[in-house]
Amino acid sequence: GESVGLHLPTLSVQEGDNSIINCAYSNSASDYFIWYKQESGKGPQFIIDIRSNMDKRQGQRVTVLLNKTVKHLSLQIAATQPGDSAVYFCAENTGGFKTIFGAGTRLFVKA
Amino acid sequence: DVKVTQSSRYLVKRTGEKVFLECVQDMDHENMFWYRQDPGLGLRLIYFSYDVKMKEKGDIPEGYSVSREKKERFSLILESASTNQTSMYLCASSTLGQGQAKNIQYFGAGTRLSVL
């Protein structure tokens, strides 16, 4: 079946460094991708999204890159801070109600 | 800000009990969702609803039912709780309809259910 997966289940970075979280998707019909952040004790929160007609989108300290050729999505966090420690989920949507979530990557930020 | 409120943060029930998980959203969203979250498996969709009294099965509906009598409230029901239903349950809502490119979901804080 279709799936969204992650290359690395955990990522540990030094405070101040940049973080890159990767995600592979398999549904070539997906036209919209979202990154969510889930902090301990909370539900996932929307971070940034990108449509399939774009390659890159920037937010505040975060950038999402989409490579449709290899069905790859990444989230880049600049100058990672302790508050960025969380589980990050990529998700894909094909225009319907359902969103397919990846398994998540846990980001640890070392002070 | 969108607020999605789940009635309980922690719940402990016994095998065979009927369990109700309640979710309320305050942004007049049309769509509401119930997921369960288990380590390594991500979020799996149990049921969703795109309108009052409407419901659709998700990927893992077995052992669950739902109720949407009012637009702001979406209930998940475990008719006879089993130990394999021990999990974190997340409710979400969204406002955009089918066919549109975006479907940003807003989540509650979750209910951690333990079935003994």
Side-chain angles (χ1 to χ4, degrees), chain B residues 3-14:
Chain B
K3 190 167 185 182
V4 179
T5 303
Q6 295 184 230
S7 55
S8 304
R9 292 299 304 272
Y10 301 95
L11 217 49
V12 179
K13 296 292 181 180
R14 297 205 175 273

Side-chain angles (χ1 to χ4, degrees), chain B residues 5-110:
Chain B
T5 303
Q6 295 184 230
S7 55
S8 304
R9 292 299 304 272
Y10 301 95
L11 217 49
V12 179
K13 296 292 181 180
R14 297 205 175 273
T15 302
E17 280 193 78
K18 189 168 186 177
V19 181
F20 292 88
L21 302 184
E22 306 286 347
C23 176
V24 177
Q25 50 95 3
D26 65 358
M27 285 300 291
D28 201 36
H29 283 175
E30 294 81 11
N31 310 320
M32 296 189 75
F33 307 82
W34 274 107
Y35 296 88
R36 62 176 285 176
Q37 183 176 26
D38 300 288
L41 296 178
L43 277 69
R44 292 182 292 167
L45 182 64
I46 303 172
Y47 267 97
F48 67 97
S49 169
Y50 53 88
D51 201 352
V52 175
K53 297 191 185 296
M54 305 304 290
K55 60 183 179 182
E56 293 286 342
K57 292 181 179 179
D59 299 316
I60 51 165
E62 295 78 19
Y64 303 94
S65 62
V66 290
S67 174
R68 185 113 182 255
E69 295 297 316
K70 293 184 178 181
K71 189 175 186 179
E72 68 270 19
R73 187 178 297 269
F74 192 36
S75 303
L76 180 69
I77 304 153
L78 286 67
E79 294 289 342
S80 178
S82 62
T83 55
N84 63 11
Q85 291 179 309
T86 291
S87 187
M88 170 69 84
Y89 290 87
L90 290 163
C91 175
S93 70
S94 71
T95 186
L96 297 174
Q98 190 175 15
Q100 299 188 47
K102 282 197 171 186
N103 189 3
I104 298 171
Q105 295 185 22
Y106 298 87
F107 286 85

